């Protein structure tokens, strides 16, 4: 018989297995499209958008009144339990928080997520184009 406690135990085990001794937290990610400027953190300063376009907007849970601006996060997709197996297994990316999801110029594909990734960052951890995931959340671990 399936019990919810078993699912939590398995998820905890998998997180420990994949993230070793890190202080990772679990959340969800969506994506957002350009325009990325202006941002809540840096206004019209395009130099804060990294050349590789691996940046994100913070959801309300980690926004912390702007204290998350400039914070570097390591993001890893930890579950491939979606029907299309969209996970890029073992891929970890580093993103910089440059914006607030609630006020970004471009709306997130799904609201209420932990972070909203730029299209390039999203593509690094998902095997499908962002447009095919427009209404789906990606389960992620970040630190």
């Amino acid at each position: 018989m399936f019990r919810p406690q078993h699912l939590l135990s398995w998820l905890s085990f998998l997180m420990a297995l994949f993230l070793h001794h890190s202080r990772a937290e679990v959340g969800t990610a969506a994506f957002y499209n350009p325009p990325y400027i202006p941002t809540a953190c840096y206004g019209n300063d395009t130099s804060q958008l990294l050349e590789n376009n691996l940046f994100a907007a913070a959801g309300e849970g980690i926004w912390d009144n702007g204290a998350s601006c400039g914070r570097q996060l390591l993001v890893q997709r930890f579950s491939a339990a979606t029907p299309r197996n969209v996970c890029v297994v073992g891929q970890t990316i580093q993103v910089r928080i440059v914006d607030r999801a609630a006020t970004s110029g471009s709306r997130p594909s799904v609201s209420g997520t932990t972070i909203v990734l730029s299209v390039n960052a999203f593509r690094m951890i998902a095997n499908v184009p962002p447009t095919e995931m427009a209404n789906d959340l990606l389960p992620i671990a970040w630190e």
Side-chain angles (χ1 to χ4, degrees):
M1 180 177 179
F2 177 78
R3 293 186 182 157
Q5 301 93 318
H6 293 149
L7 179 61
L8 184 57
S9 295
W10 274 105
L11 284 175
S12 298
F13 171 76
L14 290 174
M15 290 300 299
L17 180 67
F18 289 116
L19 299 172
H20 306 287
H21 301 289
S22 67
R23 298 180 341 209
E25 297 189 39
V26 178
T28 55
F31 70 92
Y32 68 135
N33 290 301
Y36 299 119
I37 299 294
T39 69
C41 297
Y42 305 108
N44 290 314
D45 183 1
T46 58
S47 70
Q48 297 303 313
L49 302 181
L50 306 175
E51 279 186 32
N52 59 11
N53 286 324
L54 298 182
F55 54 84
E60 292 305 297
I62 64 170
W63 174 245
D64 196 18
N65 292 321
S68 63
C69 286
R71 185 173 174 194
Q72 301 281 334
L73 300 177
L74 294 175
V75 178
Q76 180 180 37
R77 175 78 193 282
F78 72 86
S79 172
T82 59
R84 294 170 293 198
N85 192 24
V86 299
C87 179
V88 176
V89 178
Q91 178 72 358
T92 300
I93 60 170
Q94 183 172 346
V95 297
R96 175 188 291 161
I97 298 297
V98 299
D99 209 348
R100 180 182 188 186
T103 60
S104 63
S106 175
R107 304 313 313 146
S109 58
V110 180
S111 60
T113 63
T114 307
I115 61 174
V116 181
L117 300 169
S118 65
V119 170
N120 283 12
F122 188 90
R123 285 181 178 144
M124 296 285 293
I125 62 173
N127 280 330
V128 296
T131 53
E132 290 183 26
M133 295 284 298
N135 297 315
D136 298 326
L137 296 173
L138 287 178
I140 58 164
W142 57 274
E143 59 177 293

